[in-house]
Amino acid sequence: MNMASHQKIHPHNLSSSAHDDQHLDFESPQVPTVPLVPRGSSKSDDSHHCPPFQRTIPVIHTKPPRKRRSCCCRFLCWTLSLVFLLILLVGAAAGILYLVFQPKLPKYSIDRLQITQFNLTSNSSLTATFDVTITARNPNKKVGVYYEGGSHISVWYTGTSLCQGSLPRFYQGHRNTTVLDVVLSGQTDDANTLITSLQQQQQQTGIIPLNLRVIQPVRIKLGEFKLMKVKFRVRCRLDVDNLAANNAINIRNSSCKFRFTI
């Protein structure tokens, strides 16, 4: 009896214990203790393992722009160097020529002005003829001047051209003074206002201001070399007492400015 009572199995307790074991298995799953990869081996040993995905990134090449930039910089440096060298050579040549020839600007003056015609016609046109004596001086010892054709000389009063003409062609040697007699003539239409202005100017101030302008193509001769053609531009201010025809014209004041252009 006692042995049977001790060996009696309680089904309620067994079922409860099994249920508890199932409950425990559900709530806390067992962590496997055996490694997925055997020791001494690696993942690459698996021949069926797929290689990782590799993304190709485009490479941006920056060397060609640097080469172009470098070429441009070198070209610019060479160009600036050549220009600078050319300026130095021109300056050195000009300095040597200046020291050798010691050039000086020519001088001009208006010595005499005579009016042979200054008439107002019936149709209000002014006809004028001036005889002008111009003195040109070349003070240079080693520089000559060729006065070429195509010159133009004119006399103006307050923006109105009264007469025009030209200078003759000639060569002016070293330390030479040349006196030129030039005839200028011209006609001005609708000159009534001009004549009135001239009369008022003479009555109020006693002088009549005139401007004489000269444009003369020339070639400079340095020793045996003839240089390129340039233009002499001369402007002279004349103050005369009257503009009466066939009358003595007194030049009260005169001054000339000279410059040359290519």
Side-chain angles (χ1 to χ4, degrees):
M1 291 291 293
N2 292 333
M3 291 294 293
S5 63
H6 284 290
Q7 295 178 356
K8 187 178 181 179
I9 298 174
H10 301 278
H12 176 75
N13 293 333
L14 290 175
S15 62
S16 175
S17 176
H19 179 75
D20 292 338
D21 291 340
Q22 293 178 358
H23 180 72
L24 291 175
D25 292 339
F26 176 78
E27 290 186 352
S28 55
Q30 298 272 337
V31 178
T33 58
V34 181
L36 297 177
V37 180
R39 294 181 181 180
S41 63
S42 61
K43 293 182 180 182
S44 60
D45 295 338
D46 189 1
S47 60
H48 298 286
H49 181 70
C50 296
F53 175 74
Q54 296 182 355
R55 182 180 178 183
T56 303
I57 301 176
V59 179
I60 300 176
H61 298 280
T62 57
K63 289 186 178 180
R66 290 181 182 177
K67 290 183 180 179
R68 288 196 297 268
R69 190 181 302 114
S70 177
C71 292
C72 292
C73 292
R74 278 183 296 201
F75 176 76
L76 182 60
C77 291
W78 275 105
T79 303
L80 293 178
S81 300
L82 290 176
V83 171
F84 183 71
L85 180 61
L86 181 61
I87 292 175
L88 287 180
L89 292 176
V90 172
I96 294 173
L97 290 176
Y98 181 81
L99 293 176
V100 171
F101 294 98
Q102 297 180 356
K104 299 178 182 178
L105 295 177
K107 299 179 180 180
Y108 301 92
S109 62
I110 308 301
D111 299 331
R112 186 176 65 89
L113 175 64
Q114 183 178 0
I115 299 177
T116 58
Q117 188 178 10
F118 199 78
N119 301 326
L120 185 65
T121 62
S122 58
N123 59 355
S124 300
S125 296
L126 176 63
T127 303
T129 303
F130 289 10
D131 293 339
V132 184
T133 301
I134 302 175
T135 300
R137 298 178 176 87
N138 179 16
N140 294 282
K141 297 179 182 180
K142 302 178 181 180
V143 179
V145 182
Y146 286 93
Y147 287 79
E148 303 286 344
S151 65
H152 184 265
I153 179 173
S154 56
V155 177
W156 297 69
Y157 172 75
T158 63
T160 302
S161 177
L162 301 178
C163 51
Q164 304 85 30
S166 61
L167 297 176
R169 300 181 59 176
F170 67 98
Y171 171 73
Q172 190 174 29
H174 311 151
R175 287 189 170 182
N176 178 267
T177 299
T178 304
V179 179
L180 304 170
D181 291 324
V182 184
V183 178
L184 310 177
S185 60
Q187 183 174 348
T188 304
D189 298 330
D190 298 329
N192 290 326
T193 303
L194 176 63
I195 294 296
T196 303
S197 177
L198 287 171
Q199 293 174 352
Q200 292 178 353
Q201 179 72 31
Q202 184 178 5
Q203 293 175 0
Q204 293 175 1
T205 63
I207 61 173
I208 298 174
L210 300 176
N211 290 317
L212 186 142
R213 303 175 184 177
V214 180
I215 301 176
Q216 175 64 54
V218 299
R219 288 183 182 271
I220 305 299
K221 183 180 180 183
L222 299 177
E224 298 298 328
F225 300 97
K226 186 185 294 187
L227 302 183
M228 60 181 296
K229 184 183 293 187
V230 296
K231 289 183 179 180
F232 283 176
R233 295 181 180 270
V234 183
R235 287 195 177 191
C236 299
R237 167 71 182 264
L238 303 176
D239 293 334
V240 298
D241 57 352
N242 68 86
L243 291 179
N246 299 320
N247 193 9
I249 307 297
N250 295 322
I251 301 176
R252 301 287 182 87
N253 184 27
S254 67
S255 61
C256 296
K257 294 182 180 181
F258 168 85
R259 65 187 181 93
F260 68 92
T261 58
I262 298 176

